[in-house]
Amino acid sequence: MIRKIGLYFLSLWLLFFLIIIITADIPFYWSSDWEFVGLNYLLLNNIVPMICVIALLIGALSYYDFNHRITGTPELSFEITEIENIDYEHLTFLTTYIVSLVCFNFDSIRYEIVLVIVLVVIGMIYIRTDLFYANPTLAILRFRIYKVSGSFRNNETRNGIVLICREVLNLNDRVKYIKIDERIYYAYKDNTYE
């Protein structure tokens, strides 16, 4: 559950970054008689950007954990018997959630509260429905998403598996995998069969 929450924060990296750009209140003065406005001014006028920086750090820790986890020992490989590229899921998440949330009015505390409520509700749905693989940040980091059926050992067939990988996969490729969730795996080609 904690990993899924972390991946949710990772999926919102772009949103948090854009909110920082929109809301940061850092005065710039380029003349030689400049003075530092003070730490109190910066802290009190940049609460939302500081929260976003914390959220970015949580996302970074989640990505580190994800990368560490996918370097673990893989399960035995399986052969892909059906494959569908579902990279469009990244774009769906991006356009549906991130782009629309950037348009909030960040000057009003009411809108900020509504934004937090919307992010919590989206996060609950995201985690409960296992949509953490539809992560635009992973797309930026060059991961691909496939929905496959596979032939495992003992002629066992599994359908509806979602693979997250960095490589281009094709029908009849053999892949090694590490389970992230019951039906979501990190995968990479098993080149020992070529």
Side-chain angles (χ1 to χ4, degrees):
M1 177 69 92
I2 291 174
R3 282 193 170 112
K4 291 180 184 181
I5 292 170
L7 286 171
Y8 176 61
F9 274 88
L10 179 65
S11 72
L12 295 174
W13 258 8
L14 181 60
L15 174 66
F16 296 135
F17 181 70
L18 293 174
I19 290 173
I20 290 170
I21 292 171
I22 292 169
T23 62
D25 183 14
I26 302 171
F28 289 100
Y29 183 70
W30 299 105
S31 233
S32 61
D33 62 339
W34 70 274
E35 288 182 20
F36 181 57
V37 293
L39 197 54
N40 283 341
Y41 174 87
L42 289 175
L43 293 176
L44 292 175
N45 290 314
N46 290 294
I47 293 172
V48 171
M50 286 188 310
I51 292 170
C52 289
V53 167
I54 292 168
L56 286 172
L57 291 174
I58 292 170
L61 289 172
S62 174
Y63 179 67
Y64 174 79
D65 177 63
F66 178 74
N67 248 356
H68 178 70
R69 188 164 184 207
I70 63 177
T71 57
T73 305
E75 303 281 337
L76 293 174
S77 65
F78 70 91
E79 182 179 352
I80 297 174
T81 57
E82 292 179 30
I83 188 166
E84 176 187 0
N85 184 326
I86 55 172
D87 279 339
Y88 63 87
E89 296 274 350
H90 295 306
L91 191 57
T92 303
F93 186 87
L94 181 70
T95 56
T96 305
Y97 301 112
I98 294 179
V99 172
S100 61
L101 293 176
V102 169
C103 297
F104 266 80
N105 178 2
F106 295 102
D107 294 330
S108 167
I109 190 71
R110 288 182 182 187
Y111 280 102
E112 290 172 358
I113 292 170
V114 168
L115 176 64
V116 169
I117 292 170
V118 167
L119 287 176
V120 168
V121 170
I122 291 171
M124 291 169 60
I125 293 168
Y126 182 82
I127 291 163
R128 178 162 281 191
T129 59
D130 289 333
L131 286 176
F132 59 88
Y133 65 85
N135 187 325
T137 305
L138 290 179
I140 292 168
L141 296 170
R142 300 179 56 201
F143 285 90
R144 301 172 184 275
I145 306 173
Y146 295 96
K147 190 173 209 175
V148 303
S149 295
S151 177
F152 290 75
R153 61 184 164 180
N154 300 330
N155 293 327
E156 177 190 0
T157 299
R158 295 184 201 162
N159 301 314
I161 300 168
V162 175
L163 299 180
I164 301 171
C165 65
R166 290 188 185 256
E167 302 167 295
V168 175
L169 298 178
N170 296 299
L171 191 64
N172 300 322
D173 280 348
R174 290 199 69 85
V175 293
K176 290 189 175 187
Y177 65 98
I178 297 168
K179 277 189 176 183
I180 298 173
D181 195 76
E182 195 55 41
R183 66 178 189 90
I184 301 167
Y185 305 162
Y186 172 75
Y188 55 92
K189 284 186 183 181
D190 183 358
N191 296 320
T192 59
Y193 286 88
E194 291 182 358

